[in-house]
């Protein structure tokens, strides 16, 4: 098995003397056999195999956790934590656990928070962080460091890392980046200025980045530029996306909290629909390119009659269409609940020429509100098909309520494990990697590999079939293909 397993190797810093892990003297730990992770400890990317197949490639990633020897002298480390992109439950928990972990596990005393995401590197002032300051941050929603979108200027960012001595920067984004011995946790919505200078040439830099897909792509460019300049900077990423669209890892933090909170919106929509004559409760949930929140919320609720996601095309009029299905549902039960992910049906919504070109601060196409469009389309259809009959559509968009809440217990624990895994990896000398669970076990994954993958809903697997069996909704794709022009 070992000969047939290909290990995804990680970039690592060189030229730094190895030293004993300070956890050996930590009063809270009693390292015994198996406590420290060795280079031969790996996590398989796949655990289900077809034994009848002649040959199947096996890929593995280095296991996350403390190493017996580390590459950084804790007193020479300077860490900066930065969060980037939109809000997500658990961001403050990740920041808190990075600070507490660096301080309590490894004795790092110079930890800074970078405001305003990427732009904070070159335009804002850092905030000194310590365990006392961040003690209750995990109980708060949003990000205490503030966040913003855009502001990515590669040369200015790396110049700032190199010239101002950012040791550790932690970014809270779709994905996270770690720069050299610099720990950065960026969250692109911070509102302070950062001109943090380090004049000590012995200081080691670590960067911890917390963010999503846009942040991840930026992190790859930063890692490449840091490597090109041969800077001794450790870079790591903690993936942050409430949509759960990060590839390779089992899930992203904040996702379970989002699904839990989505239940309240669906329950409210169900009550509104059930209390009206021919009532429809319409709920729009987060999910630009993937429908994981809508899918899991639908399965958890059991009150949903139809779930629309970006991965599955649908149509409104005609046999087997959405309107025909809802008409029958109203006839049979008097009400219906419809859940739609924000990215679903975007190609069906009429756009002006200017709207087709409009982009947000991160360069993404600005989506139109599919919920508003669907509500209007439903009313127009009913008025045309059933003039004079009562009909109500109650539209609920809980997006900002969901993403602004504190993480639940499960996500809080998950954030702690992600933060500590990242710290152990950077201190061991790894760089350009992402921390996350694979098949339930925490691993280190090359940053570029994660940046190139996406976790989309597979509409051909058992889970989507389960959704359709719970909702009894049409198979729009099959129905559409079966229609004659």
């Amino acid at each position: 098995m070992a000969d047939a397993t290909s290990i995804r190797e990680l970039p690592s810093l060189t030229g730094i003397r190895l030293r004993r892990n300070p956890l050996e003297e930590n009063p809270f730990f009693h390292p015994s056999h198996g406590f420290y992770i060795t280079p031969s400890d790996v996590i398989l990317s796949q655990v289900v195999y077809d034994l009848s197949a002649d040959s199947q490639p096996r890929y593995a990633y280095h296991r996350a956790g403390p190493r017996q020897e580390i590459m950084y002298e804790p007193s020479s480390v300077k860490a900066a934590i930065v969060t980037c992109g939109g809000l997500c439950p658990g961001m403050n928990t990740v920041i808190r656990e990075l600070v507490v972990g660096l301080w309590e596990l490894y004795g790092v005393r110079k930890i800074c928070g970078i405001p305003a995401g990427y732009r904070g590197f070159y335009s804002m002032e850092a905030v000194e962080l310590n365990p006392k300051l961040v003690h209750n941050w995990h109980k708060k929603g949003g990000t205490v460091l503030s966040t913003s979108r855009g502001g990515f200027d590669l040369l200015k960012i790396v110049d700032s890392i190199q010239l101002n001595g950012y040791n550790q920067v932690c970014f809270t984004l779709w994905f996270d980046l770690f720069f050299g011995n610099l720990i950065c946790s960026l969250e692109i919505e911070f509102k302070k200025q950062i001109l943090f200078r380090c004049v000590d040439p012995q200081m080691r830099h670590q960067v911890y980045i917390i963010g999503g897909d846009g942040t991840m792509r930026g992190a790859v460019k930063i890692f490449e530029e840091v490597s090109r300049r041969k800077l001794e900077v450790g870079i790591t990423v903690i993936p942050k996306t409430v949509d759960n669209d990060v590839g390779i890892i089992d899930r992203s933090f904040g996702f379970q909290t989002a699904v839990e909170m989505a239940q309240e919106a669906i329950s409210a929509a169900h009550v509104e629909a059930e209390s009206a004559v021919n009532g429809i409760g319409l709920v729009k949930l987060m999910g630009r390119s993937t429908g994981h929140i809508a899918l899991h919320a639908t399965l958890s609720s059991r009150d949903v009659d139809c779930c629309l996601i970006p991965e599955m095309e649908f149509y409104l009029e005609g046999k087997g269409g959405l309107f025909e299905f809802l008409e029958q549902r109203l006839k049979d039960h008097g009400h219906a609940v419809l859940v739609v992910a924000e990215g679903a049906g975007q190609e069906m919504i009429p756009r002006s020429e200017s709207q087709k070109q409009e982009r947000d601060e991160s360069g993404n196409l600005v989506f139109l509100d599919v919920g508003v469009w669907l509500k209007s389309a439903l009313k127009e259809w009913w008025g045309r098909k059933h003039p004079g009959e009562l009909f109500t559509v109650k539209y609920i968009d809980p997006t900002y309520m969901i993403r602004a809440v504190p993480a639940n217990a499960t996500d809080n624990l998950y954030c702690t494990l992600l933060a500590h895994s990242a710290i152990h990896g950077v201190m061991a000398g790894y760089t350009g990697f992402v921390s996350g669970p694979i098949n339930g076990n925490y691993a280190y994954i090359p940053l570029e590999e994660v940046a190139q993958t996406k976790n989309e809903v597979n509409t051909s697997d058992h889970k989507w079939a389960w959704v359709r069996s719970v909702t009894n909704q049409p198979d729009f794709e099959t129905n559409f293909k079966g229609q004659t022009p």
Side-chain angles (χ1 to χ4, degrees):
M1 172 117 178
D3 293 338
T5 301
S6 174
I7 301 177
R8 303 299 200 193
E9 295 298 339
L10 295 171
S12 60
L13 301 177
T14 59
I16 304 178
R17 182 176 62 85
L18 291 173
R19 48 185 50 83
R20 191 181 187 191
N21 195 317
L23 291 177
E24 289 283 348
E25 285 77 39
N26 193 303
F28 301 108
F29 292 88
H30 301 284
S32 58
H33 178 71
F35 177 83
Y36 291 113
I37 306 301
T38 68
S40 60
D41 291 331
V42 298
I43 305 299
L44 291 177
S45 63
Q46 185 176 338
V47 294
V48 178
Y49 289 93
D50 180 3
L51 294 179
S52 66
D54 295 332
S55 177
Q56 300 175 80
R58 294 186 175 92
Y59 301 103
Y61 299 92
H62 286 284
R63 186 182 174 192
R67 268 57 178 173
Q68 191 161 16
E69 293 182 316
I70 61 175
M71 281 196 175
Y72 297 112
E73 170 56 47
S75 62
S76 69
V77 170
K78 197 172 192 178
I81 299 176
V82 187
T83 54
C84 305
L87 299 183
C88 176
M91 292 174 76
N92 282 327
T93 304
V94 172
I95 298 169
R96 179 192 188 277
E97 296 309 316
L98 284 169
V99 173
V100 174
L102 286 165
W103 192 286
E104 301 292 351
L105 299 181
Y106 287 97
V108 175
R109 293 295 181 265
K110 296 182 179 179
I111 308 171
C112 299
I114 310 297
Y118 278 131
R119 59 171 47 88
F121 274 111
Y122 55 84
S123 66
M124 309 195 89
E125 183 178 353
V127 180
E128 293 188 11
L129 302 176
N130 58 65
K132 183 178 181 180
L133 180 65
V134 304
H135 180 67
N136 288 314
W137 283 17
H138 63 295
K139 299 177 182 179
K140 303 176 181 180
T143 166
V144 179
L145 289 183
S146 298
T147 183
S148 69
R149 297 186 183 276
F152 183 82
D153 189 315
L154 177 61
L155 296 183
K156 284 185 178 180
I157 292 171
V158 180
D159 285 347
S160 177
I161 291 172
Q162 183 176 8
L163 298 177
N164 297 318
Y166 296 109
N167 301 62
Q168 301 182 351
V169 182
C170 182
F171 297 92
T172 304
L173 315 163
W174 268 101
F175 292 89
D176 293 296
L177 304 179
F178 290 67
F179 296 97
N181 295 335
L182 200 56
I183 303 177
C184 297
S185 177
L186 286 183
E187 180 185 14
I188 300 178
E189 286 178 12
F190 211 86
K191 304 173 184 175
K192 293 185 179 180
Q193 294 185 341
I194 182 165
L195 293 171
F196 190 75
R197 293 187 176 277
C198 172
V199 297
D200 186 352
Q202 299 301 316
M203 293 302 294
R204 299 296 180 185
H205 308 288
Q206 297 182 356
V207 179
Y208 296 82
I209 303 175
I210 309 168
D213 55 353
T215 300
M216 182 69 76
R217 293 189 294 269
V220 171
K221 294 179 180 178
I222 294 173
F223 169 68
E224 292 173 346
E225 180 64 16
V226 166
S227 300
R228 189 188 69 80
R229 299 188 189 188
K230 296 182 171 56
L231 303 179
E232 290 184 353
V233 177
I235 300 175
T236 187
V237 174
I238 298 174
K240 182 265 313 177
T241 164
V242 73
D243 293 350
N244 197 40
D245 59 359
V246 179
I248 301 178
I249 65 172
D250 294 346
R251 72 179 190 279
S252 55
F253 74 82
F255 173 68
Q256 292 193 341
T257 303
V259 172
E260 183 177 303
M261 292 301 298
Q263 303 304 302
E264 296 184 16
I266 293 174
S267 295
H270 182 248
V271 170
E272 289 284 355
E274 201 172 30
S275 301
V277 177
N278 293 321
I280 290 183
L282 174 60
V283 180
K284 185 186 75 172
L285 297 176
M286 292 169 287
R288 280 185 59 90
S289 59
T290 62
H292 291 287
I293 294 179
L295 183 154
H296 284 82
T298 295
L299 291 177
S300 301
S301 169
R302 304 303 176 92
D303 286 332
V304 178
D305 297 292
C306 188
C307 175
L308 305 176
I309 60 175
E311 293 89 344
M312 175 62 71
E313 295 183 1
F314 67 95
Y315 59 100
L316 303 181
E317 306 272 5
K319 184 173 178 56
L322 177 63
F323 290 164
E324 181 187 70
F325 168 74
L326 291 176
E327 184 173 31
Q328 186 63 46
R329 184 68 176 80
L330 292 175
K331 180 180 179 181
D332 294 340
H333 300 281
H335 69 279
V337 176
L338 176 62
V339 168
V340 57
E342 62 179 312
Q346 286 295 320
E347 70 284 350
M348 301 169 62
I349 306 176
R351 290 175 178 266
S352 65
E353 287 302 317
S354 60
Q355 288 174 329
K356 293 177 181 179
Q357 305 301 322
E358 190 176 0
R359 297 291 187 274
D360 62 20
E361 297 89 338
S362 300
N364 301 311
L365 176 69
V366 173
F367 279 1
L368 299 181
D369 194 323
V370 65
V372 171
W373 171 71
L374 265 178
K375 179 180 179 180
S376 176
L378 284 165
K379 286 188 171 183
E380 189 279 330
W381 158 72
W382 187 268
R384 172 168 39 88
K385 194 78 179 292
H386 302 277
E389 294 186 30
L390 290 175
F391 181 69
T392 301
V393 180
K394 298 298 185 182
Y395 173 43
I396 298 176
D397 179 0
T399 297
Y400 293 105
M401 294 178 61
I402 292 175
R403 69 181 213 160
V405 301
N408 64 12
T410 301
D411 272 326
N412 262 331
L413 175 59
Y414 182 36
C415 289
T416 300
L417 296 174
L418 286 174
H420 287 193
S421 295
I423 293 170
H424 293 314
V426 173
M427 295 301 291
Y430 292 126
T431 182
F433 70 93
V434 172
S435 302
I438 298 177
N439 300 315
N441 296 286
Y442 288 77
Y444 297 139
I445 312 157
L447 173 59
E448 188 172 3
E449 186 172 341
V450 180
Q452 294 174 349
T453 60
K454 202 166 191 66
N455 177 31
E456 296 181 336
V457 173
N458 182 359
T459 56
S460 298
D461 71 359
H462 302 293
K463 188 171 290 185
W464 184 248
W466 185 15
V467 169
R468 291 195 54 238
S469 70
V470 168
T471 62
N472 292 314
Q473 68 187 64
D475 185 349
F476 294 109
E477 188 173 25
T478 300
N479 290 347
F480 184 76
K481 291 178 180 178
Q483 287 184 337
T484 57

